Amino acid sequence: MQTQVAIIGAGPAGLLLGALLHKAGIDNIIIERQTPEYVLGRIRAGILEQVTVDLLRDAGVGSGVDAAGTPHHQIDLVFQNKRYPIMVSELTQGKVVTAYGQTEVTHDLMTHRANLGLTSFYSADEVDLHDIESKTPRVSFSKDGRRQEISCSLIAGCDGFHGVSRKHIPSNILKEFERVYPFGWIGVLADVPPVSPHAIVYANSDRGFALCSMRSMTRSRYYLQCPLSDQVSEWSDERFWDELQLRLDPELSAQLIMGPSIEKSIAPLRSYVAEPMRHGQLFLAGDAAHIVPPTGAKGLNLAATDVKYLSEAMIEFFTAKSSRGIDHYSDRCLKRVWRAERFSWWLTSLMHRFPETGEFGQRIQEAELDYLVHSRALSTSLAENYVGLPLDFGHQ
Ligand code: APR
Ligand code: PHB
């Protein structure tokens, strides 16, 4: 088999890249390890920056988010049992974020690809990359017991943190940066109206962090900071709701509508960056190259901007026969990646209980939160990062 771009991974990054390349007339094949059902079953964050929404529209996949996304003009911060609004739109000349689940984004992209009849191999085992330093790299994999091979000009490694692509960058070239946090998040999805439909709520409590989010007016998503050693089985629905109420302000706590969970899972928090994001004809995008802790919901948005830059660079490569874009891809992405890493790390550090800093750390966080909610300068800094810094930020 032959194609112009072989895309490893059918998460949001791989699917969006495939859609944008196809629109520009560039042939691509996706190779995914899991089944479509498995990919769609993963529950992840659901806050889209305007840049991400625009890109989905650009790719011809905006109708879902346009019909069912909920624009948010505000976020709320809770500390010392009081809730304070941050008027994100007002502080950013009218920008909003849109609540729309990653599961829905993936579903829309998958349907779009299937409708176009583009080639994707799901349940591909033992995916391997060959000759990535040459002009004619290849991808091989096993499907239904048969070994297959794809020749291409470029490879996009969109296979997430545990993927195979990044491992093909030689260890003397790859530099990794990592911070692992000493706690996790337990998340619950429930078919109940969100307690705060117009503002995501971030709560710093001396019992630990809590977050109130949503997927729609009838589906809520809540998270609690928990020890990494906890098992899901230790968290009955009742325990989860009780604990959430204890971490919110009294008003929200009283308004919380509880119901049976339809999904419950514990995830660790990690900051990670791999540099460079290109080696030879291989280009990493999304979680394959970087991970942010979920605080601030930057993961999917960063994946989307990588893909924007990568699609532009690949289109330039094939249509203008120029390597300028692909040569700058890694540097261009990493600037934005590190800005989002900084923001996610900062918001994580501000909102969570850190076992090692004790009550001193808690008081310092509360002082910073107090400063933040009363200072237009600090609120603006939070707001402009939350909605996403402009793509040309720092280029002027
Ligand atoms: N071969 C083929 N596919 C693979 C392999 C492999 N060896 N390893 C992993 N994959 C697939 C995974 O099964 C998954 O479907 O690559 C896909 C990667 O998708 P994601 O993990 O969703 O990563 P990405 O598309 O970069 O999306 C980034 O996901 O984790 C969130 O917060 C993150 O929202 C962000 C988004
Ligand atoms: C979510 O809706 O899953 C979500 C929202 C905001 C965050 C993180 C996750 O900061």
Side-chain angles (χ1 to χ4, degrees):
M1 256 173 302
Q2 187 117 28
T3 190
Q4 288 173 289
V5 182
I7 301 174
I8 323 282
L15 287 165
L16 182 58
L17 179 65
L20 291 165
L21 291 179
H22 172 77
K23 195 180 157 207
I26 294 166
D27 194 38
N28 62 86
I29 294 178
I30 292 186
I31 305 107
E32 162 64 48
R33 186 170 56 176
Q34 305 288 354
T35 63
E37 297 71 34
Y38 182 93
V39 172
L40 275 180
R42 289 190 295 232
I43 312 284
R44 275 150 169 192
I47 297 293
L48 309 185
E49 293 175 5
Q50 193 56 50
V51 173
T52 306
V53 175
D54 290 344
L55 207 56
L56 289 170
R57 289 188 187 133
D58 216 34
V61 199
S63 57
V65 62
D66 285 334
T70 309
H72 282 198
H73 300 266
Q74 174 188 337
I75 60 173
D76 285 356
L77 298 180
V78 175
F79 62 98
Q80 292 175 323
N81 291 319
K82 285 205 197 71
R83 186 157 34 103
Y84 300 85
I86 302 284
M87 308 310 282
V88 164
S89 284
E90 203 183 294
L91 294 164
T92 58
Q93 288 84 44
K95 291 197 182 144
V96 295
V97 292
T98 303
Y100 189 67
Q102 181 171 321
T103 312
E104 285 70 28
V105 171
T106 310
H107 173 270
D108 297 348
L109 285 162
M110 243 183 206
T111 311
H112 178 72
R113 190 166 178 92
N115 289 343
L116 290 170
L118 304 181
T119 310
S120 315
F121 291 95
Y122 282 87
S123 309
D125 289 326
E126 294 156 36
V127 177
D128 204 358
L129 281 57
H130 312 271
D131 300 337
I132 61 167
E133 289 172 6
S134 81
K135 297 270 176 260
T136 51
R138 289 167 294 121
V139 176
S140 64
F141 59 97
S142 299
K143 168 97 183 143
D144 302 326
R146 204 163 67 84
R147 200 78 196 148
Q148 313 215 27
E149 195 170 270
I150 300 172
S151 312
C152 55
S153 300
L154 304 176
I155 299 177
C158 303
D159 46 353
F161 184 63
H162 299 288
V164 66
S165 302
R166 192 178 62 243
K167 300 184 180 119
H168 284 266
I169 302 185
S171 57
N172 61 334
I173 291 178
L174 185 75
K175 189 155 167 56
E176 297 175 285
F177 304 83
E178 184 169 49
R179 161 123 214 220
V180 177
Y181 299 86
F183 41 73
W185 278 16
I186 176 159
V188 155
L189 194 66
D191 278 333
V192 289
V195 66
S196 170
H198 302 297
I200 308 293
V201 181
Y202 293 85
N204 172 308
S205 131
D206 55 12
R207 301 179 66 88
F209 172 72
L211 168 57
C212 307
S213 183
M214 59 182 284
R215 292 292 173 267
S216 69
M217 288 305 179
T218 53
R219 182 167 283 188
S220 302
R221 181 73 168 154
Y222 297 108
Y223 300 94
L224 294 173
Q225 175 184 354
C226 67
L228 270 173
S229 53
D230 276 13
Q231 303 293 319
V232 172
S233 57
E234 295 168 54
W235 284 88
S236 64
D237 286 358
E238 197 187 359
R239 178 178 172 206
F240 184 90
W241 294 121
D242 285 351
E243 185 63 34
L244 179 57
Q245 281 187 300
L246 289 171
R247 296 187 191 186
L248 300 176
D249 61 292
E251 191 190 10
L252 267 195
S253 180
Q255 287 169 6
L256 186 70
I257 301 177
M258 296 166 256
S261 62
I262 53 174
E263 195 265 352
K264 198 187 281 162
S265 50
I266 294 180
L269 272 72
R270 181 196 299 273
S271 298
Y272 171 87
V273 181
E275 292 184 357
M277 288 170 63
R278 178 219 181 153
H279 182 70
Q281 305 296 84
L282 167 67
F283 299 81
L284 303 180
D287 279 16
H290 41 71
I291 298 285
V292 286
T295 334
K298 289 291 169 218
L300 175 58
N301 294 296
L302 262 193
T305 35
D306 287 355
V307 164
K308 178 180 166 57
Y309 293 153
L310 187 54
S311 62
E312 287 170 2
M314 287 183 165
I315 292 165
E316 190 179 335
F317 177 79
F318 288 109
T319 57
K321 308 268 176 274
S322 161
S323 298
R324 199 193 60 102
I326 60 171
D327 288 345
H328 285 112
Y329 169 71
S330 179
D331 287 347
R332 201 177 175 206
C333 281
L334 284 167
K335 237 187 159 76
R336 195 169 171 84
V337 166
W338 277 110
R339 286 191 177 121
E341 290 286 345
R342 184 209 67 83
F343 176 66
S344 307
W345 160 82
W346 170 75
L347 197 55
T348 301
S349 308
L350 181 63
M351 299 308 296
H352 292 75
R353 192 94 224 250
F354 283 75
E356 72 273 18
T357 61
E359 287 179 34
F360 177 81
Q362 178 71 19
R363 288 288 190 279
I364 291 288
Q365 287 176 339
E366 288 168 2
E368 184 168 355
L369 282 160
D370 183 59
Y371 180 24
L372 175 58
V373 300
H374 292 106
S375 155
R376 193 173 171 92
L378 252 72
S379 299
T380 304
S381 164
L382 167 59
E384 67 183 12
N385 281 280
Y386 198 79
V387 300
L389 291 170
L391 284 170
D392 61 355
F393 186 84
H395 296 190
Q396 300 90 337

